[in-house]
Amino acid sequence: MKRILTGIKPTGYAHIGNYFGAIKPAIDLSSNADFDCFYFIADYHALTSLKTKEEFAEYSKNIACAWLACGLDPNKVVFYRQSDIPEDFELNWILCNVTPKGLMNRAHAYKAVVEKNKEEGVDIDSNVNMGLYNYPILMSADILLFNTNLVPVGLDQKQHIEIARDIASYFNNKYKKVFVLPEEYIQKEVQTLVGLDGRKMSKSYGNTIKLFGTEKELQKSINRIVTDSLLPGEPKPLDCTLNKIYKLFASKQQQVEFDKKLANGLGWGDAKKELFEVANSYLAPMREKFDYYMTHYEEVEKILADGAVKARIIAKKVLQEVRKAIGVEI
Ligand code: ADP
Ligand code: TRP
């Protein structure tokens, strides 16, 4: 039996990059009876960038409802909130002490802020809190606490899983072989989905399509997809952003037909209408479930509370082994 674990940090509304890159692959894996799945809302990770308690509550709720609306079945998956697992934060501290500072200096999220600060000529650590700096250690704790074998994520998280493996090895070598070495599970076709402007879709670039926006919002986002200036009647490049997004939602047959239409000069305006149709019919049933959970949030809270109880049974066991290995418990 393999343990599968992944989390999403609620720093904004779930978008289709999160869905196709992480949520859907994780949910697909959970239908395999050989896998024991632990999926969670990485709410304490979001503290590194959120400004208000209202944002914290709103985005956490959005991600929780999103997981369920996308098909997470709480009978097959242990579904919980990171902040309900105190063992995680104890392990985080212990792991801090086997992690060389240099490893954190090389972590890409921190490095990206440092590079930006250098370009802007401000202090290199401006806007860097210790939560951001130590982010990969808490993420390692999330993973190692549950003896995780596989972590389904998008490509941008690969380095974090490598760091978790490094930290597990440092601990195992210094004390005792307690931790399983986790591996990333990255599906090639969806490892980096493009956003409206052709760059990686990301909350931080403001180029996302919200997973559970209204129809109007979906339409608006699609209208913002950047296209070239080719006129109706002129053949369109098949590797354009619009077609990449279309392919996510379409059946094989729809994809072939759409390719033909683009090659035959379909205008961008009509192409956007077709994309809206296909995306909306894919998302509408999920949106309905999402709206249900948002208005019956007490059901979601109950699912998360039950999940935390189940998760803590494993977490306590692993933490106890760790405590014994370092000499806190005999
Ligand atoms: P964001 O970059 O928008 O802040 P997160 O860091 O919250 O997204 O990502 C949550 C999960 O979704 C991660 O597993 C991440 O790899 C995946 N993900 C996010 N954006 C994309 C994308 N554009 N393509 C593929 N996967 C993505
Ligand atoms: N870092 C992930 C993100 O940016 C969220 C996350 C936190 C995570 N802990 C994790 C993902 C453990 C996989 C496993 O969205």
Side-chain angles (χ1 to χ4, degrees), residues 6-13 15-23 63 135 152-158 190-195 199-205 208:
T6 197
I8 307 259
K9 65 174 196 286
T11 44
Y13 297 112
H15 57 75
I16 64 165
N18 300 143
Y19 174 69
F20 287 106
I23 299 177
I63 297 285
Y135 187 103
V153 279
L155 187 63
D156 59 348
Q157 297 297 313
K158 187 175 174 1
V190 288
Q191 63 181 15
T192 311
L193 299 176
V194 293
R199 292 187 295 169
K200 176 199 168 230
M201 183 175 289
S202 173
K203 281 164 237 160
S204 28
Y205 295 148
T208 63

Side-chain angles (χ1 to χ4, degrees), residues 241-255:
T241 303
L242 191 145
N243 199 21
K244 284 182 189 154
I245 297 176
Y246 184 93
K247 287 204 156 46
L248 297 169
F249 295 105
S251 67
K252 273 270 160 307
Q253 194 187 342
Q254 285 171 319
Q255 292 182 21

Side-chain angles (χ1 to χ4, degrees), residues 3-68:
R3 167 107 359 106
I4 318 288
L5 175 142
T6 197
I8 307 259
K9 65 174 196 286
T11 44
Y13 297 112
H15 57 75
I16 64 165
N18 300 143
Y19 174 69
F20 287 106
I23 299 177
K24 184 173 182 298
I27 290 177
D28 290 347
L29 287 175
S30 70
S31 59
N32 184 329
D34 291 336
F35 296 148
D36 185 21
C37 299
F38 281 56
Y39 300 159
F40 68 100
I41 299 147
D43 52 355
Y44 270 12
H45 272 291
L47 281 180
T48 62
S49 57
L50 293 185
K51 306 244 172 351
T52 65
K53 65 177 189 182
E54 286 77 17
E55 278 180 324
F56 186 92
E58 183 169 344
Y59 296 150
S60 299
K61 185 173 171 185
N62 177 274
I63 297 285
C65 295
W67 269 114
L68 292 165

Side-chain angles (χ1 to χ4, degrees), residues 68 74 79 296-309:
L68 292 165
F79 181 47
H296 296 77
Y297 195 61
E298 63 296 341
E299 288 182 29
V300 181
E301 284 180 323
K302 168 91 178 59
I303 292 170
L304 291 170
D306 290 349
V309 170

